[in-house]
Short mmCIF file of all heavy atoms in Angstrom, two decimals:
data_model
loop_
_atom_site.label_atom_id
_atom_site.label_comp_id
_atom_site.label_asym_id
_atom_site.label_seq_id
_atom_site.Cartn_x
_atom_site.Cartn_y
_atom_site.Cartn_z
N PRO A 35 -1.26 30.57 -8.70
CA PRO A 35 -1.38 29.11 -8.71
C PRO A 35 -1.68 28.52 -10.09
O PRO A 35 -1.74 27.30 -10.24
CB PRO A 35 -2.53 28.84 -7.74
CG PRO A 35 -3.34 30.08 -7.71
CD PRO A 35 -2.45 31.23 -8.11
N ASN A 36 -1.84 29.41 -11.10
CA ASN A 36 -2.19 28.90 -12.43
C ASN A 36 -0.95 28.50 -13.22
O ASN A 36 -0.64 29.06 -14.26
CB ASN A 36 -3.01 29.94 -13.19
CG ASN A 36 -4.35 30.18 -12.51
OD1 ASN A 36 -4.73 29.42 -11.61
ND2 ASN A 36 -5.06 31.20 -12.92
N VAL A 37 -0.24 27.51 -12.69
CA VAL A 37 0.95 26.98 -13.38
C VAL A 37 1.02 25.47 -13.11
O VAL A 37 0.47 24.98 -12.13
CB VAL A 37 2.29 27.57 -12.83
CG1 VAL A 37 2.49 28.99 -13.27
CG2 VAL A 37 2.37 27.43 -11.32
N HIS A 56 -0.88 25.13 0.14
CA HIS A 56 -1.13 25.49 -1.26
C HIS A 56 -2.61 25.23 -1.62
O HIS A 56 -3.25 26.05 -2.29
CB HIS A 56 -0.19 24.71 -2.17
CG HIS A 56 -0.33 25.09 -3.61
ND1 HIS A 56 -0.13 26.38 -4.05
CD2 HIS A 56 -0.70 24.37 -4.71
CE1 HIS A 56 -0.35 26.43 -5.36
NE2 HIS A 56 -0.71 25.23 -5.77
N VAL A 60 -5.23 27.92 -3.00
CA VAL A 60 -6.00 27.78 -4.25
C VAL A 60 -7.49 27.91 -3.96
O VAL A 60 -8.23 28.57 -4.70
CB VAL A 60 -5.68 26.42 -4.93
CG1 VAL A 60 -6.59 26.21 -6.13
CG2 VAL A 60 -4.23 26.35 -5.35
N ASN A 63 -7.99 31.60 -3.51
CA ASN A 63 -7.67 32.54 -4.59
C ASN A 63 -7.67 31.96 -6.00
O ASN A 63 -7.45 32.71 -6.95
CB ASN A 63 -6.27 33.14 -4.36
CG ASN A 63 -6.17 33.77 -2.99
OD1 ASN A 63 -7.03 34.55 -2.62
ND2 ASN A 63 -5.16 33.39 -2.23
N GLY A 64 -7.86 30.66 -6.16
CA GLY A 64 -7.73 30.05 -7.48
C GLY A 64 -8.78 30.57 -8.46
O GLY A 64 -9.97 30.32 -8.27
N SER A 65 -8.31 31.29 -9.48
CA SER A 65 -9.27 31.95 -10.37
C SER A 65 -10.08 30.95 -11.19
O SER A 65 -11.15 31.26 -11.67
CB SER A 65 -8.50 32.87 -11.31
OG SER A 65 -7.57 32.10 -12.06
N GLU A 66 -9.55 29.72 -11.36
CA GLU A 66 -10.25 28.76 -12.22
C GLU A 66 -11.28 27.92 -11.46
O GLU A 66 -11.98 27.10 -12.05
CB GLU A 66 -9.23 27.79 -12.86
CG GLU A 66 -8.14 28.47 -13.65
CD GLU A 66 -8.71 29.30 -14.79
OE1 GLU A 66 -9.46 28.74 -15.60
OE2 GLU A 66 -8.42 30.51 -14.84
N LEU A 67 -11.32 28.09 -10.16
CA LEU A 67 -12.18 27.20 -9.37
C LEU A 67 -13.66 27.49 -9.56
O LEU A 67 -14.50 26.60 -9.54
CB LEU A 67 -11.78 27.35 -7.89
CG LEU A 67 -11.75 26.11 -7.04
CD1 LEU A 67 -11.06 24.95 -7.72
CD2 LEU A 67 -11.07 26.41 -5.71
N LYS A 72 -13.37 21.95 -7.97
CA LYS A 72 -12.71 21.49 -6.75
C LYS A 72 -11.23 21.26 -7.03
O LYS A 72 -10.84 21.09 -8.18
CB LYS A 72 -13.32 20.17 -6.28
CG LYS A 72 -14.60 20.31 -5.50
CD LYS A 72 -15.01 18.95 -4.99
CE LYS A 72 -15.80 19.05 -3.71
NZ LYS A 72 -15.98 17.76 -3.07
N VAL A 73 -10.45 21.20 -5.96
CA VAL A 73 -9.05 20.87 -6.10
C VAL A 73 -8.91 19.35 -5.91
O VAL A 73 -9.41 18.81 -4.92
CB VAL A 73 -8.20 21.57 -5.01
CG1 VAL A 73 -6.74 21.19 -5.14
CG2 VAL A 73 -8.40 23.07 -5.06
N ALA A 74 -8.27 18.69 -6.86
CA ALA A 74 -8.02 17.24 -6.68
C ALA A 74 -6.66 17.07 -6.04
O ALA A 74 -5.69 17.72 -6.44
CB ALA A 74 -8.05 16.53 -8.03
N CYS A 75 -6.60 16.21 -5.03
CA CYS A 75 -5.31 15.91 -4.41
C CYS A 75 -5.21 14.39 -4.29
O CYS A 75 -5.93 13.77 -3.52
CB CYS A 75 -5.23 16.58 -3.04
SG CYS A 75 -3.74 16.11 -2.15
N ALA A 234 -11.26 17.46 -16.14
CA ALA A 234 -10.41 18.65 -16.05
C ALA A 234 -11.24 19.89 -15.68
O ALA A 234 -10.76 20.77 -14.96
CB ALA A 234 -9.67 18.88 -17.37
N LYS A 236 -14.03 19.85 -13.89
CA LYS A 236 -14.46 19.71 -12.49
C LYS A 236 -13.28 19.95 -11.55
O LYS A 236 -13.44 20.45 -10.44
CB LYS A 236 -14.97 18.28 -12.31
CG LYS A 236 -15.82 18.04 -11.10
CD LYS A 236 -16.57 16.72 -11.32
CE LYS A 236 -17.22 16.18 -10.10
NZ LYS A 236 -17.72 14.82 -10.33
N PHE A 237 -12.07 19.56 -12.00
CA PHE A 237 -10.87 19.70 -11.17
C PHE A 237 -9.82 20.54 -11.90
O PHE A 237 -8.86 20.00 -12.45
CB PHE A 237 -10.31 18.32 -10.80
CG PHE A 237 -11.28 17.48 -10.04
CD1 PHE A 237 -12.02 16.49 -10.68
CD2 PHE A 237 -11.48 17.70 -8.69
CE1 PHE A 237 -12.95 15.74 -9.97
CE2 PHE A 237 -12.42 16.96 -7.98
CZ PHE A 237 -13.16 15.97 -8.63
N PRO A 238 -9.99 21.86 -11.92
CA PRO A 238 -9.04 22.70 -12.66
C PRO A 238 -7.65 22.71 -12.01
O PRO A 238 -6.69 23.12 -12.64
CB PRO A 238 -9.67 24.09 -12.60
CG PRO A 238 -10.70 24.05 -11.53
CD PRO A 238 -11.11 22.63 -11.35
N TYR A 239 -7.55 22.25 -10.76
CA TYR A 239 -6.24 22.12 -10.10
C TYR A 239 -6.12 20.65 -9.69
O TYR A 239 -7.02 20.11 -9.02
CB TYR A 239 -6.15 23.03 -8.88
CG TYR A 239 -6.32 24.49 -9.25
CD1 TYR A 239 -7.58 25.09 -9.20
CD2 TYR A 239 -5.23 25.23 -9.68
CE1 TYR A 239 -7.74 26.41 -9.57
CE2 TYR A 239 -5.39 26.57 -10.05
CZ TYR A 239 -6.64 27.14 -10.01
OH TYR A 239 -6.80 28.45 -10.38
N PHE A 240 -5.04 20.05 -10.10
CA PHE A 240 -4.91 18.60 -9.91
C PHE A 240 -3.52 18.29 -9.37
O PHE A 240 -2.52 18.46 -10.07
CB PHE A 240 -5.11 17.92 -11.29
CG PHE A 240 -5.37 16.46 -11.21
CD1 PHE A 240 -6.67 15.94 -11.28
CD2 PHE A 240 -4.32 15.55 -11.07
CE1 PHE A 240 -6.91 14.59 -11.21
CE2 PHE A 240 -4.56 14.20 -11.00
CZ PHE A 240 -5.85 13.71 -11.08
N PHE A 241 -3.43 17.91 -8.09
CA PHE A 241 -2.12 17.71 -7.46
C PHE A 241 -1.90 16.24 -7.11
O PHE A 241 -2.83 15.56 -6.68
CB PHE A 241 -2.02 18.55 -6.18
CG PHE A 241 -2.32 20.02 -6.42
CD1 PHE A 241 -3.10 20.74 -5.53
CD2 PHE A 241 -1.81 20.67 -7.54
CE1 PHE A 241 -3.39 22.09 -5.76
CE2 PHE A 241 -2.09 22.00 -7.78
CZ PHE A 241 -2.88 22.71 -6.90
N SER A 264 -6.07 21.26 -16.93
CA SER A 264 -5.96 21.41 -15.47
C SER A 264 -4.55 21.85 -15.14
O SER A 264 -3.60 21.45 -15.83
CB SER A 264 -6.20 20.07 -14.76
OG SER A 264 -7.51 19.65 -14.91
N TYR A 265 -4.39 22.64 -14.08
CA TYR A 265 -3.04 22.96 -13.61
C TYR A 265 -2.58 21.79 -12.74
O TYR A 265 -3.19 21.51 -11.70
CB TYR A 265 -3.04 24.28 -12.84
CG TYR A 265 -3.35 25.43 -13.77
CD1 TYR A 265 -4.54 26.14 -13.65
CD2 TYR A 265 -2.46 25.77 -14.79
CE1 TYR A 265 -4.83 27.17 -14.54
CE2 TYR A 265 -2.75 26.79 -15.68
CZ TYR A 265 -3.93 27.48 -15.55
OH TYR A 265 -4.23 28.48 -16.43
N VAL A 266 -1.57 21.10 -13.22
CA VAL A 266 -1.13 19.89 -12.52
C VAL A 266 0.13 20.19 -11.72
O VAL A 266 1.07 20.79 -12.23
CB VAL A 266 -0.88 18.75 -13.54
CG1 VAL A 266 -0.24 17.55 -12.86
CG2 VAL A 266 -2.19 18.34 -14.21
#
Side-chain angles (χ1 to χ4, degrees):
N36 295 349
V37 287
H56 183 59
V60 174
N63 305 310
S65 59
E66 303 301 305
L67 220 45
K72 278 185 152 191
V73 179
C75 174
K236 197 163 167 190
F237 300 100
Y239 300 93
F240 195 98
F241 306 137
S264 293
Y265 293 112
V266 172

